[in-house]
């Protein structure tokens, strides 16, 4: 028709497809994930995006039926878009690294640094070497031992070994009485609880710092868009064209102000330094907590074995006394 000088008349369906292609191209040019891609389409163009059986589909705001990405072209299907998101992520990472290199001590003039809490003093982890001590088995409650005489005999020999090791453990660690031992067990339990609390506190601090890094990066990424918006003569038109970017900028700025509590926020350089310090602190606290927990468990094994030994000794003493009475 074009060769004959006739201009084809576009149908409504064709113009809807053109609208979808333009919107998808725009969203795919900045999105770094499917979630961000879907959000841009929804907020900026009122297009609903869905994935069904690994097929990407789009619902035009004026239609009731989805149009598949394959129907729009190869640029609108899974393979192409995932590669686009990967490239955007890589580009964003390079841009962030460039910002960090060019950055002064402060993130920007309106985000100067506030010192973090001191976490540099990391204590040496509690060292614990686990023994091969095991629980003494109660023959009265061991069904397998009751069913098999040979197994019961094997358990008795194992119990004798564990009882001997338990007595040796008590002597080696210098516990002069049961009260001394129970005091050590209570102290170990308190230390385990304290190390668990310290670890959780550090993990929460690390989570907060990661959120600050995320939103500070988001703030920096879209700050120029906001500056252009303030300078634009037709703000309504500019806002509609950059609704997604400005929305992300506003969200980041609002979140950072909430986190500041009225104070200035740290720079990206300080945030990453604090993150590295907290990661080191967390790793050492994990080791510390693990050692305290294992030590407490070993003492509880000793405690349970002591109860079994003393319990059997009482029963034997009672049987001897009964024999004398007879």
């Amino acid at each position: 028709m074009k060769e004959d000088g006739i201009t084809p008349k576009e149908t409504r369906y064709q113009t809807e497809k053109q609208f979808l292609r333009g919107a998808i191209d725009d969203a795919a040019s900045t999105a770094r994930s499917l979630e961000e891609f879907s959000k841009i389409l929804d907020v900026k163009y009122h297009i609903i995006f869905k994935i069904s059986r690994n097929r990407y589909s789009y619902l035009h705001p004026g239609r009731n039926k989805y149009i598949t990405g394959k129907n729009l072209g190869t640029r609108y299907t899974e393979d192409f878009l995932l590669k686009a998101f990967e490239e955007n992520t890589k580009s964003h990472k390079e841009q962030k690294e460039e910002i960090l290199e060019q950055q002064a001590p402060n993130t920007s003039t309106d985000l100067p640094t506030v010192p973090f809490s001191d976490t540099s003093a990391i204590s040496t982890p509690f060292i614990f070497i686990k023994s091969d001590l095991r629980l003494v088995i109660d023959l009265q409650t061991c069904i397998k031992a009751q069913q098999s005489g040979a197994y019961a005999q094997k358990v008795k020999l194992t119990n004798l070994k564990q009882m001997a090791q338990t007595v040796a453990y008590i002597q080696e660690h210098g516990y002069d009485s049961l009260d001394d031992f129970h005091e050590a067990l209570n102290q170990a339990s308190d230390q385990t609880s304290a190390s668990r609390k310290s670890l959780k506190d550090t993990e929460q601090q690390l989570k907060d710092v990661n959120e600050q890094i995320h939103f500070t990066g988001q703030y920096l990424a879209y700050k120029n868009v906001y500056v252009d918006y303030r300078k634009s003569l037709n703000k309504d038109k500019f806002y509609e064209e950059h609704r997604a970017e400005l929305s992300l900028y506003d969200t980041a700025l609002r979140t950072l102000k909430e986190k500041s509590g009225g104070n200035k926020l740290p720079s990206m350089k300080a945030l990453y330094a604090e993150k590295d310090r907290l990661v080191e602190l967390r790793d050492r606290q994990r080791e510390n907590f693990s050692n305290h927990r294992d030590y407490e468990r070993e003492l509880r094994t000793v405690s349970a074995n002591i109860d079994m030994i003393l319990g059997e000794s009482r029963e034997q003493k009672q049987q001897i006394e009964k024999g004398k009475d007879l």
Side-chain angles (χ1 to χ4, degrees):
M1 291 176 67
K2 289 183 177 180
E3 288 177 358
D4 293 335
I6 303 172
T7 302
K9 183 179 180 182
E10 292 185 342
T11 65
R12 178 182 175 186
Y13 181 64
Q14 288 174 317
T15 57
E16 287 173 348
K17 288 172 68 175
Q18 289 176 1
F19 174 80
L20 289 174
R21 291 189 184 103
I24 295 169
D25 287 339
D26 178 43
S29 66
T30 57
R32 302 191 299 274
S33 66
L34 283 173
E35 292 77 10
E36 187 177 350
F37 175 69
S38 178
K39 183 177 180 180
I40 294 174
L41 289 177
D42 182 26
V43 173
K44 192 171 182 179
Y45 297 100
H46 307 294
I47 295 171
I48 299 176
F49 168 72
K50 76 170 184 177
I51 303 175
S52 178
R53 298 178 182 177
N54 293 327
R55 291 189 306 177
Y56 289 10
S57 300
Y58 310 88
L59 182 62
H60 187 282
R63 285 175 58 88
N64 296 322
K65 188 176 180 180
Y66 283 87
I67 299 177
T68 65
K70 185 177 180 181
N71 213 338
L72 295 172
T74 56
R75 291 173 54 86
Y76 312 100
T77 56
E78 179 182 11
D79 292 341
F80 182 88
L81 290 173
L82 291 181
K83 288 181 181 178
F85 301 154
E86 186 178 342
E87 289 296 324
N88 292 340
T89 302
K90 182 180 179 181
S91 176
H92 178 75
K93 183 179 180 181
E94 292 173 352
Q95 180 184 9
K96 182 174 70 173
E97 291 174 352
E98 184 179 348
I99 291 174
L100 287 174
E101 290 175 359
Q102 297 175 353
Q103 201 176 37
N106 294 331
T107 299
S108 61
T109 55
D110 55 339
L111 294 176
T113 304
V114 156
F116 284 100
S117 57
D118 183 18
T119 58
S120 57
I122 305 176
S123 59
T124 303
F126 168 73
I127 304 301
F128 168 68
I129 301 175
K130 191 174 182 179
S131 71
D132 59 351
L133 191 64
R134 298 291 182 269
L135 280 171
V136 172
I137 299 173
D138 188 353
L139 287 169
Q140 295 180 355
T141 60
C142 181
I143 297 176
K144 190 173 180 180
Q146 294 174 4
Q147 294 174 343
S148 171
Y151 184 78
Q153 185 65 23
K154 182 179 178 181
V155 169
K156 287 179 182 179
L157 293 174
T158 303
N159 280 351
L160 286 174
K161 179 182 178 182
Q162 293 302 326
M163 287 177 180
Q165 287 183 342
T166 300
V167 173
Y169 187 98
I170 294 291
Q171 293 172 343
E172 288 173 4
H173 290 78
Y175 300 121
D176 297 327
S177 66
L178 279 177
D179 289 338
D180 289 343
F181 172 75
H182 287 136
E183 183 179 350
L185 176 56
N186 291 333
Q187 184 178 3
S189 179
D190 292 340
Q191 290 173 341
T192 301
S193 299
S195 60
R196 181 189 293 109
K197 183 180 183 304
S198 297
L199 174 59
K200 287 187 175 295
D201 290 344
T202 300
E203 288 175 339
Q204 182 59 50
Q205 291 178 41
L206 184 58
K207 180 181 177 182
D208 291 339
V209 168
N210 281 330
E211 287 182 352
Q212 283 185 277
I213 289 174
H214 170 76
F215 285 109
T216 301
Q218 185 170 308
Y219 166 84
L220 291 172
Y222 298 108
K223 183 179 178 182
N224 289 337
V225 179
Y226 177 74
V227 172
D228 292 340
Y229 166 69
R230 293 293 301 270
K231 294 178 180 179
S232 65
L233 299 178
N234 191 340
K235 287 185 170 53
D236 291 339
K237 181 180 178 182
F238 188 94
Y239 184 83
E240 287 301 321
E241 292 175 350
H242 302 275
R243 182 191 294 268
E245 297 97 318
L246 291 172
S247 176
L248 290 169
Y249 171 85
D250 289 339
T251 299
L253 184 59
R254 182 174 64 255
T255 303
L256 291 173
K257 285 183 177 180
E258 290 174 357
K259 287 183 175 294
S260 70
N263 298 319
K264 300 294 184 179
L265 290 172
S267 66
M268 285 289 273
K269 184 177 180 180
L271 284 168
Y272 278 110
E274 179 67 1
K275 178 178 179 177
D276 291 341
R277 186 166 51 191
L278 287 173
V279 167
E280 180 186 358
L281 176 61
R282 180 201 61 189
D283 292 344
R284 298 189 68 174
Q285 285 178 336
R286 280 179 175 173
E287 180 183 357
N288 202 37
F289 167 66
S290 179
N291 287 336
H292 277 297
R293 181 187 57 194
D294 290 345
Y295 177 56
E296 181 188 351
R297 286 175 177 173
E298 184 163 282
L299 290 184
R300 293 198 181 279
T301 298
V302 174
S303 179
N305 287 353
I306 289 173
D307 292 340
M308 285 290 294
I309 294 170
L310 294 178
E312 289 187 9
S313 297
R314 292 192 192 99
E315 289 179 0
Q316 292 172 357
K317 186 177 180 179
Q318 289 173 358
Q319 289 177 358
I320 292 173
E321 289 177 351
K322 286 181 180 179
K324 288 180 180 180
D325 294 338
L326 294 175

